Amino acid sequence: MPHMVKEVKGSLFWMSKTPLKVGERVVLKCSTQEVACTVRGIERRIDSSTLEVLEEGAKVLENREVGEVVLSFSTALIVEDFNTTPELGRFVVEKDYTISGGGIITHLGG
């Protein structure tokens, strides 16, 4: 059953040449929902080619890196863990009106 939450943890693949920074505000789109959110943390930075952990407790996520991130929403969203309900566990992140990343929700509530 889906949950209404204001914070999630997820795996995010970053596709923008402009880095994603902790504290930055972006737009998250999940299913038919769209909400402003803040990057509360980047727990791990991972090289997308080798899956090598580059940094724990990172402040920035660079182009073509994967991050284990904590995202906090301005209003509650109806979402679910990707492994439970994939349709409600996938999201994209928009920065400066451009889709800049895509990911999956791995934990509800941050």
Side-chain angles (χ1 to χ4, degrees):
M1 172 127 185
H3 299 84
M4 284 191 80
V5 298
K6 289 192 78 173
E7 189 169 274
V8 297
K9 286 185 182 179
S11 293
L12 173 65
F13 180 70
W14 193 245
M15 300 179 287
S16 174
K17 291 184 181 182
T18 306
L20 179 68
K21 300 174 184 159
V22 171
E24 189 166 6
R25 290 185 54 90
V26 293
V27 174
L28 182 133
K29 296 180 179 184
C30 178
S31 187
T32 61
Q33 305 167 97
E34 182 175 323
V35 67
C37 73
T38 302
V39 180
R40 290 279 180 229
I42 302 171
E43 295 180 345
R44 220 173 256 115
R45 254 179 68 226
I46 301 166
D47 182 305
S48 64
S49 297
T50 65
L51 301 181
E52 172 190 359
V53 175
L54 301 172
E55 184 180 7
E56 302 273 348
K59 299 292 182 203
V60 174
L61 191 60
E62 300 285 348
N63 188 26
R64 294 188 304 255
E65 290 181 341
V66 174
E68 293 178 9
V69 298
V70 179
L71 303 171
S72 180
F73 312 133
S74 59
T75 59
L77 281 185
I78 298 172
V79 295
E80 186 56 85
D81 184 298
F82 176 79
N83 293 312
T84 303
T85 309
E87 296 81 5
L88 291 175
R90 289 187 275 259
F91 63 88
V92 295
V93 172
E94 183 180 277
K95 180 178 175 179
D96 300 325
Y97 303 101
T98 302
I99 300 297
S100 300
I104 60 170
I105 295 169
T106 58
H107 183 77
L108 303 174

